[in-house]
Amino acid sequence: MILALSGGVGGAKLALGLARVMPPEELAVIVNTADDFEHLGLSISPDIDTVTYTLAGLANRELGWGRHDETWSFMETMEALGGETWFRLGDRDIALHVERTRRLNNGETLSAVTADLCRRLGIKSRVVPMSDDPVRTRLRTEEGWLDFQEYFVRRRCEPVVLELLFQGAGAARAHPEFLAALADPSLQAIVICPSNPFISVEPILAIPGVRQALIDSPAPIIAVSPIIAGQAVKGPTAKMMTELGMDPSAGTVAHRYHDLLDGYVIDHADMSEVVSIDARVTLAQTLMRTMEDREALARTVLDAAAVLRRRKATR
Ligand code: GDP
């Protein structure tokens, strides 16, 4: 079994690559839920949905979110009625949010609903929310505290970020399947996907017990840098690093994860950073444009993990 920790877009790309180069039922993707929010009366889980749509082959590659075969009648009608339209929801996408909301209101857990919806969409890998308890990222910006989607979508990541807070993380319980997998002697590797460290990976690490369970796991931990040549492929990762007083680089991300990493995959473009990284570094093409890129990077990660596993076993 392979465990991947993921946010949305960057994480989902590698998760898809992994699911295509290994038996997909042996992959479990632990997904950040700190971006989740309630909107128009619906429970929305953006990162879970991105991973789900991506693994199901339904993702909208142009938009980077939502479904590819989408229509927008709901949004157009909402606009005509003077309703809220800053968070775009396609017609087909809304069906998923309505169904999830109904089932959560009936007392089902987010993980149970997610597992069932994934099964119905033909996904063979497991998609597991980091927790069934609510955790919400809030950002202190130069304009004051903002809820995550307020910052990310409504304000298009423009406000300067000074501090992040994962509300509810201290009281949240990691999903039992996640903790059990970490302790399982047959776990082959833990992959930290190329996701935003601050808003996608660190909320997972903030749940009590997760960090220690990762350190104690018999499996090696290998991350893929979300930063290539000082830049994020998409989204505010590099901008946030600068605002938080860090040098936006692959090395800085490795330092954030310092005590966790056994291995780290960085782009050929970042070769000069190898010396500053305290983990076994693998150079690769880490930009995933095509399906072949996703599969090749996934293979690189699995091969590197196999070497790390042997090393860890002889320690
Ligand atoms: P979000 O929750 O939708 O913001 O998604 P993630 O946190 O999973 O992904 C955002 C990060 O993915 C950004 O830091 C991007 O630089 C990174 N990313 C996106 N595509 C790629 C890619 O093809 N290769 C690498 N290495 N990183 C990527």
Side-chain angles (χ1 to χ4, degrees):
M1 173 131 112
I2 301 283
L3 210 58
L5 311 190
S6 175
V9 178
K13 282 184 184 173
L14 183 62
L16 177 60
L18 288 166
R20 289 172 63 96
V21 302
M22 59 178 275
E25 57 282 355
E26 290 173 16
L27 173 69
V29 190
I30 308 297
V31 186
N32 170 45
T33 56
D35 297 2
D36 291 13
F37 74 132
E38 287 70 41
H39 185 59
L40 306 176
L42 301 172
S43 296
I44 300 180
S45 298
D47 285 356
I48 288 182
D49 295 345
T50 298
V51 171
T52 301
Y53 288 147
T54 301
L55 292 179
L58 297 171
N60 188 319
R61 299 273 280 274
E62 287 92 68
L63 288 176
W65 49 268
R67 291 179 60 133
H68 66 70
D69 53 347
E70 198 51 285
T71 57
W72 302 94
S73 303
F74 176 88
M75 274 286 121
E76 285 158 20
T77 311
M78 198 66 164
E79 186 156 22
L81 296 174
E84 282 198 57
T85 55
W86 61 272
F87 194 88
R88 314 259 313 142
L89 294 164
D91 300 334
R92 291 180 194 278
D93 188 27
I94 283 176
L96 185 147
H97 305 307
V98 169
E99 178 59 6
R100 173 169 45 219
T101 305
R102 181 188 72 77
R103 292 174 65 165
L104 291 176
N105 288 343
N106 276 350
E108 282 188 60
T109 60
L110 179 61
S111 53
V113 177
T114 303
D116 188 53
L117 295 177
C118 285
R119 188 182 57 77
R120 286 169 191 272
L121 292 173
I123 298 170
K124 297 203 175 75
S125 303
R126 268 177 286 164
V127 178
V128 183
M130 64 185 196
S131 174
D132 279 325
D133 301 319
V135 179
R136 298 290 178 263
T137 296
R138 304 201 72 223
L139 303 102
R140 188 165 67 83
T141 72
E142 284 188 342
E143 301 170 18
W145 282 98
L146 295 175
D147 287 341
F148 181 77
Q149 297 299 344
E150 193 108 353
Y151 162 80
F152 200 72
V153 177
R154 191 176 228 166
R155 297 301 323 280
R156 296 165 209 270
C157 309
E158 278 162 17
V160 171
V161 176
L162 306 170
E163 186 186 345
L164 290 109
L165 177 81
F166 308 126
Q167 206 166 46
R173 289 155 302 172
H175 195 277
E177 199 180 324
F178 177 22
L179 292 182
L182 288 176
D184 188 335
S186 69
L187 182 65
Q188 302 288 297
I190 300 155
V191 180
I192 303 181
C193 288
S195 289
N196 184 317
F198 309 101
I199 55 179
S200 293
V201 179
E202 288 180 4
I204 305 177
L205 303 179
I207 299 176
V210 167
R211 221 171 215 293
Q212 197 56 47
L214 283 163
I215 291 168
D216 294 343
S217 175
I221 306 179
I222 182 163
V224 178
S225 175
I227 297 284
I228 303 175
Q231 293 188 339
V233 178
K234 193 170 185 287
T237 309
K239 176 178 177 284
M240 266 184 187
M241 287 175 127
T242 308
E243 291 166 0
L244 292 168
M246 298 167 211
D247 174 32
S249 71
T252 305
V253 176
H255 288 288
R256 290 291 295 186
Y257 297 146
H258 66 109
D259 55 338
L260 295 177
L261 294 190
D262 296 297
Y264 193 46
V265 181
I266 64 173
D267 200 85
H268 293 292
D270 295 311
M271 191 151 58
S272 62
E273 305 211 21
V274 173
V275 285
S276 72
I277 296 166
D278 188 17
R280 187 175 182 277
V281 175
T282 303
L283 293 169
Q285 184 199 310
T286 62
L287 182 60
M288 295 172 280
R289 282 205 199 89
T290 64
M291 195 59 85
E292 290 71 36
D293 294 342
R294 288 161 174 74
E295 292 175 1
L297 185 57
R299 275 195 207 96
T300 301
V301 169
L302 294 179
D303 289 349
V307 174
L308 294 166
R309 198 157 60 237
R310 285 196 289 276
R311 283 182 156 204
K312 218 171 175 174
T314 54
R315 237 190 267 152

